[in-house]
Amino acid sequence: MSTDLEVFPPLRPAPPSEPQAAPPLPGAAVAPSYLTEPHGWASWLFTTDHKRIAILYMVTVTLFFFVGGAAATVIRLNLIAPQGSLVSAELYNKLFTAHGIVMVWFFLIPVIPTVLGNFVLPMMIGAKDLAFPRLNLLSWYVFTAGAVITLTAVLFGGVDSGWTFYPPFSTRSSYTYVVPAAVGIIVTGFSTIMTGLNFVITVHTLRAPGMTWGRLPIFVWSNYATSLIMLLATPVLAAVLALIAVERLAGIGIFDPSLGGDPILFQHLFWFYSHPAVYIMILPGMGVVTELVTCFSRKTLFGYKFVAAASICIAGFGFLVWGHHMFVAGQSLLASIAFSALSYLVAIPSAIKVFNWTATMFRGSIAFEAPMLYAVGFILLFTIGGMSGLFLAALAVDQHVHDTYFIIAHFHFIMVGGMVSAYFGGLHYWWPKMTGRLYSRPWSRLAALLIFAGFFLTFLPQFVLGYLGMPRRYHHYPPEFQVLNVLSSAGASILAVGYVLPFFYLFHSLRWGKPAGPNPWQATGLEWQTASPPPKHNFEQTPVITRGPYEYATGGTDHAR
Amino acid sequence: MPAEPPVLEPQFATAEQQRSASVLGMWVFLATEVLLFGGIITAFLATRVFYPHEFERAAGRLNVLIGGINTVVLLASGLGMALAVHAAQKGQRWATLTWLGLTALLGLGFLGLKGYEYFADWRDGLVPRTDGFDPGDVTPGRLTLFMLFYFVLTGLHAVHLSVGLGLVSWLAVRVMRGELPRAGATVAEVVGLYWHFVDVVWIILLPVLYLSGHHEAADLHF
Ligand SMILES: [Cu+2]
């Protein structure tokens, strides 16, 4: 391998004139773009190109985002009036279950790894593809098959157990399609494992010459840490959901106390997966934000090693805190105290990240392009979400706000304010790379601001509602909570507009957008050193890496020169 | 020996890179398998802590003779697999095929004996039903719980062994096509890792299911 180092010329940024020149017209480039060659439907459905698979995933998860969003819309409309203005209590139960299941397993968990990760992770390390391209394609089919099974169950039959499937309700009392929904989620879990496996092996074996571990972009570190969680947590979800299905079908009480089982055992196994899964749903977002903050502040990342190590620490600590979901479930006080203390520990690596992003922005020359607006929104909303998580990790406070809207607000700040913002930020950042086109600058910035404002109005009142004692998952509520609920629903309508807007201007850009050129943001990442959209094997020749990922301040870009 | 055509996939730069990706891939996959079995075994052991008396009673009813013979059969198949991998790495085509054949035969033998054991369990009423077998002085529902875990765990293991047999057949086809020593040897290494993992799972299931009960000498029959 070492002899190759001299063969390839060192990687240099493109000369200043090049980015604006030569739109990637089909046929004009030396190597045709991944979008144009080969041609036809079959070439997409049987592709093993990581970039095309990313696009396949993008289409499916976007669809599921709107399905989950539609359920949320009906929920918020229903809660405008105290008696429940729109749907029956039974349908309401099915709606919040559908919203949770679809958003968790078919949007938040796959979205950044399979769309943005699939597209840019191999390019960021200078690889031609992932280590197992056919497995990557298979993962999309398995994901889609699992989604079809579960969505058929939750949309056409309906499941009312909540996304958490707590027994004995889910195994004995619920007369809904629990088993098909669980089977679909287990199938989807296989696709998660395939993606995680592919990322881990790719990062270990396919780094280009000179791409040391210390030069990996933080987006790669984050997806690597995420993949470790996917690999080690998902099998336990498969096991516990399979036991739920067996219990329901065989009528034998593994978890049902009236048949000799233990419902707390279910909660232990379920949260052993589902707490780490929370980090599957935030770590990739942290990776995206790191890329955005450095690029749009034109600065080197402050404390690279700490940010990288914090990703791994979060993944590790994430496996030791699941009991904080069970403080009022009858777990021993000793266990609760231990889980409470460990949950506080997770705040340390999370705070390291927030401080380092802030320090990176400090005295940077910040450009508030749309991706950066999402990144700044992420930092603010994630911080609020994380701090409220510390309230919940405290045993005494949790007694008061457990199972209230306080919890709902807390995790929506992380999942929606954090992860969805990060996804939108990353999508806007890499869209020119994926499509070769620039989208509307004013519209994209307006959408980011609408999402930010709508989000605050939707979820801040829910902290207050929860603190005042409004429980989650209720179809109706006492009249004194109406004002706050109406505020929240009003915010949701703004949020909905903000989420639909990009749909229009991004589609518009495909046809009418200006050609982006290889590096419209003057970014230092390796993925910007090739054409937009990239050719099939990403680079004309394997790059050789001689510097770190964020050398904005040291003249590493043509912009700075 | 005729030069083997290089089968380097485009994403790899060297054959060694491709080999290490495959082998590391199987190790990482096996880590997920540990968590899959680990989750269910944890649920089983937790329930055993709740009901030690009932679980010991039910474990004593399992057919420890067939379980024991099967352990020997499976360990012997593991030896066959180890020898097959060794032969594959040396490029010895016929030795590889012979050892693979022995491995598959012993694997099939295990499944056959296991199938007979399931039949005997059913015949003797060792099934996860409350009216399945004489509860004596213990709560029948708890015996049922043990039997459910027994069938889930051994069933999942049998499924994994069947997949292993499929992999061994696929490997044998590739060896027959003349893919030794390079690509074939990598596949042999990967399949071997999987096969040994399935062995190890059984080594854990034997004590936690069969040996955790009291067995009489008179019970040692088919
Ligand atoms: Cu948690």
Side-chain angles (χ1 to χ4, degrees):
Chain A
M1 287 302 290
S2 60
T3 52
D4 295 351
L5 281 167
E6 284 82 46
V7 176
F8 297 113
L11 181 81
R12 283 202 190 85
S17 62
E18 204 185 277
Q20 279 72 38
L25 293 171
V30 182
S33 110
Y34 81 99
L35 285 171
T36 51
E37 200 61 40
H39 209 71
W41 278 103
S43 76
W44 280 83
L45 290 178
F46 296 103
T47 182
T48 53
D49 185 338
H50 66 100
K51 300 181 288 300
R52 286 192 163 197
I53 295 168
I55 303 292
L56 293 177
Y57 264 115
M58 189 201 283
V59 172
T60 34
V61 299
T62 304
L63 184 71
F64 300 146
F65 181 64
F66 282 105
V67 171
T73 307
V74 181
I75 290 169
R76 279 315 328 161
L77 285 174
N78 184 68
L79 291 176
I80 287 176
Q83 71 278 14
S85 64
L86 198 61
V87 294
S88 67
E90 288 74 25
L91 183 56
Y92 184 84
N93 293 346
K94 290 177 177 177
L95 280 168
F96 73 66
T97 304
H99 172 68
I101 289 177
V102 172
M103 285 303 200
V104 167
W105 281 298
F106 303 108
F107 182 71
L108 287 166
I109 285 186
V111 63
I112 290 187
T114 62
V115 180
L116 303 177
N118 247 337
F119 198 98
V120 295
L121 185 136
M123 298 171 73
M124 281 181 156
I125 63 170
K128 291 178 184 149
D129 206 315
L130 289 172
F132 308 117
R134 287 187 300 275
L135 190 71
N136 196 19
L137 178 66
L138 180 65
S139 86
W140 180 73
Y141 279 101
V142 170
F143 172 75
T144 309
V148 167
I149 297 171
T150 299
L151 261 76
T152 307
V154 300
L155 295 183
F156 299 107
V159 178
D160 62 358
S161 63
W163 76 279
T164 45
F165 293 104
Y166 269 23
F169 180 80
S170 63
T171 55
R172 190 150 54 95
S173 311
S174 174
Y175 296 102
T176 55
Y177 295 82
V178 170
V179 172
V183 167
I185 293 167
I186 292 171
V187 171
T188 305
F190 284 111
S191 90
T192 308
I193 290 173
M194 291 176 199
T195 301
L197 184 80
N198 232 332
F199 282 6
V200 167
I201 307 303
T202 302
V203 173
H204 272 278
T205 59
L206 289 189
R207 284 169 288 123
M211 180 54 83
T212 58
W213 287 85
R215 287 177 181 162
L216 289 177
I218 296 297
F219 183 73
V220 176
W221 273 107
S222 302
N223 274 284
Y224 181 82
T226 307
S227 301
L228 294 181
I229 306 174
M230 288 171 159
L231 290 165
L232 298 178
T234 314
V236 179
L237 176 74
V240 72
L241 288 182
L243 290 180
I244 283 278
V246 166
E247 168 158 340
R248 213 177 143 88
L249 296 173
I252 294 165
I254 305 166
F255 304 125
D256 184 342
S258 68
L259 296 170
D262 181 9
I264 308 292
L265 177 63
F266 170 86
Q267 295 184 24
H268 276 296
L269 292 170
F270 181 80
W271 290 111
F272 180 85
Y273 161 80
S274 286
H275 186 82
V278 169
Y279 297 128
I280 298 178
M281 295 183 259
I282 195 65
L283 273 169
M286 294 170 155
V288 170
V289 167
T290 309
E291 303 300 317
L292 303 184
V293 164
T294 49
C295 174
F296 294 100
S297 304
R298 320 301 315 167
K299 273 185 68 187
T300 309
L301 178 63
F302 184 87
Y304 170 89
K305 281 186 183 162
F306 285 90
V307 180
S311 305
I312 304 295
C313 284
I314 289 175
F317 285 150
F319 277 101
L320 305 174
V321 301
W322 75 87
H324 63 213
H325 296 269
M326 300 160 60
F327 287 158
V328 298
Q331 140 187 289
S332 78
L333 184 62
L334 179 67
S336 289
I337 291 171
F339 280 122
S340 171
L342 286 164
S343 302
Y344 277 110
L345 277 186
V346 184
I348 297 171
S350 310
I352 287 175
K353 292 201 172 227
V354 172
F355 286 133
N356 284 340
W357 293 323
T358 318
T360 304
M361 286 163 68
F362 182 65
R363 288 191 176 159
S365 50
I366 297 175
F368 284 106
E369 300 292 335
M372 187 59 171
L373 291 177
Y374 285 108
V376 173
F378 175 100
I379 295 172
L380 195 68
L381 299 177
F382 171 76
T383 305
I384 297 174
M387 298 292 276
S388 60
L390 289 176
F391 293 26
L392 293 163
L395 293 177
V397 182
D398 188 67
Q399 291 278 338
H400 179 59
V401 295
H402 186 88
D403 261 351
T404 68
Y405 267 80
F406 193 91
I407 289 275
I408 303 285
H410 155 67
F411 71 72
H412 280 85
F413 264 78
I414 307 268
M415 305 283 90
V416 185
M419 189 67 163
V420 180
S421 294
Y423 172 63
F424 273 72
L427 187 65
H428 283 80
Y429 181 57
W430 284 299
W431 183 265
K433 177 55 61 184
M434 293 170 150
T435 64
R437 301 288 172 169
L438 295 173
Y439 47 81
S440 159
R441 198 160 170 259
W443 281 106
S444 59
R445 300 209 292 180
L446 176 70
L449 292 174
L450 278 179
I451 288 173
F452 190 65
F455 181 86
F456 256 111
L457 189 54
T458 310
F459 291 102
L460 265 187
Q462 296 190 8
F463 273 125
V464 184
L465 277 172
Y467 190 76
L468 295 176
M470 178 164 162
R472 66 190 290 197
R473 291 181 171 170
Y474 271 62
H475 161 263
H476 46 266
Y477 54 84
E480 62 261 33
F481 293 141
Q482 187 170 13
V483 173
L484 288 165
N485 268 298
V486 169
L487 280 178
S488 178
S489 295
S493 66
I494 301 174
L495 197 54
V497 173
Y499 283 145
V500 171
L501 260 185
F503 207 70
F504 289 103
Y505 62 77
L506 288 179
F507 259 105
H508 181 270
S509 78
L510 287 180
R511 181 147 188 157
W512 292 283
K514 273 192 226 134
N519 192 358
W521 311 117
Q522 312 292 330
T524 55
L526 211 49
E527 75 273 24
W528 300 104
Q529 312 295 336
T530 184
S532 307
K536 183 170 194 300
H537 285 308
N538 300 341
F539 300 97
E540 297 286 324
Q541 51 190 176
T542 305
V544 174
I545 292 84
T546 53
R547 54 188 168 84
Y550 304 114
E551 301 202 350
Y552 287 99
T554 54
T557 67
D558 47 309
H559 181 74
R561 282 172 192 174
Chain B
M1 193 177 298
E4 185 193 351
V7 276
L8 194 63
E9 299 201 13
Q11 69 272 27
F12 295 109
T14 62
E16 175 50 31
Q17 197 182 35
Q18 179 166 301
R19 192 198 76 86
S20 66
S22 304
V23 174
L24 187 63
M26 181 49 84
W27 276 108
V28 172
F29 172 71
L30 293 181
T32 73
E33 291 276 40
V34 169
L35 269 291
L36 176 68
F37 280 98
I40 302 177
I41 291 174
T42 304
F44 166 76
L45 291 177
T47 315
R48 187 187 155 79
V49 170
F50 303 147
Y51 311 129
H53 188 49
E54 285 84 354
F55 271 41
E56 195 188 331
R57 161 92 53 117
R61 297 283 304 272
L62 292 184
N63 198 325
V64 76
L65 183 64
I66 298 183
I69 293 173
N70 254 344
T71 307
V72 177
V73 170
L74 205 56
L75 283 181
S77 83
L79 176 66
M81 178 52 88
L83 292 169
V85 174
H86 187 68
Q89 280 163 347
K90 285 187 162 177
Q92 299 161 341
R93 195 168 153 192
W94 288 110
T96 309
L97 286 173
T98 310
W99 290 122
L100 281 180
L102 181 75
T103 305
L105 213 61
L106 288 166
L108 277 174
F110 178 95
L111 285 182
L113 277 169
K114 191 73 217 162
Y116 174 76
E117 188 187 347
Y118 279 155
F119 164 74
D121 292 337
W122 173 76
R123 185 191 61 202
D124 301 341
L126 291 174
V127 286
R129 278 204 321 267
T130 22
D131 57 347
F133 53 99
D134 173 28
D137 59 342
V138 298
T139 315
R142 298 171 182 178
L143 297 175
T144 306
L145 215 46
F146 176 91
M147 291 315 298
L148 183 73
F149 276 115
Y150 162 77
F151 278 103
V152 167
L153 283 168
T154 55
L156 192 62
H157 176 263
V159 168
H160 277 77
L161 189 56
S162 308
V163 171
L165 285 172
L167 290 175
V168 167
S169 321
W170 172 63
L171 168 61
V173 170
R174 293 191 62 164
V175 171
M176 270 189 268
R177 276 204 222 129
E179 291 189 23
L180 287 181
R182 294 188 74 173
T186 304
V187 176
E189 199 175 343
V190 168
V191 173
L193 281 171
Y194 178 86
W195 191 270
H196 296 311
F197 172 79
V198 177
D199 275 11
V200 169
V201 170
W202 181 257
I203 297 299
I204 291 163
L205 292 186
L206 180 80
V208 301
L209 289 172
Y210 291 80
L211 302 184
S212 61
H214 178 73
H215 297 274
E216 303 278 340
D219 290 338
L220 298 179
H221 61 77
F222 272 83

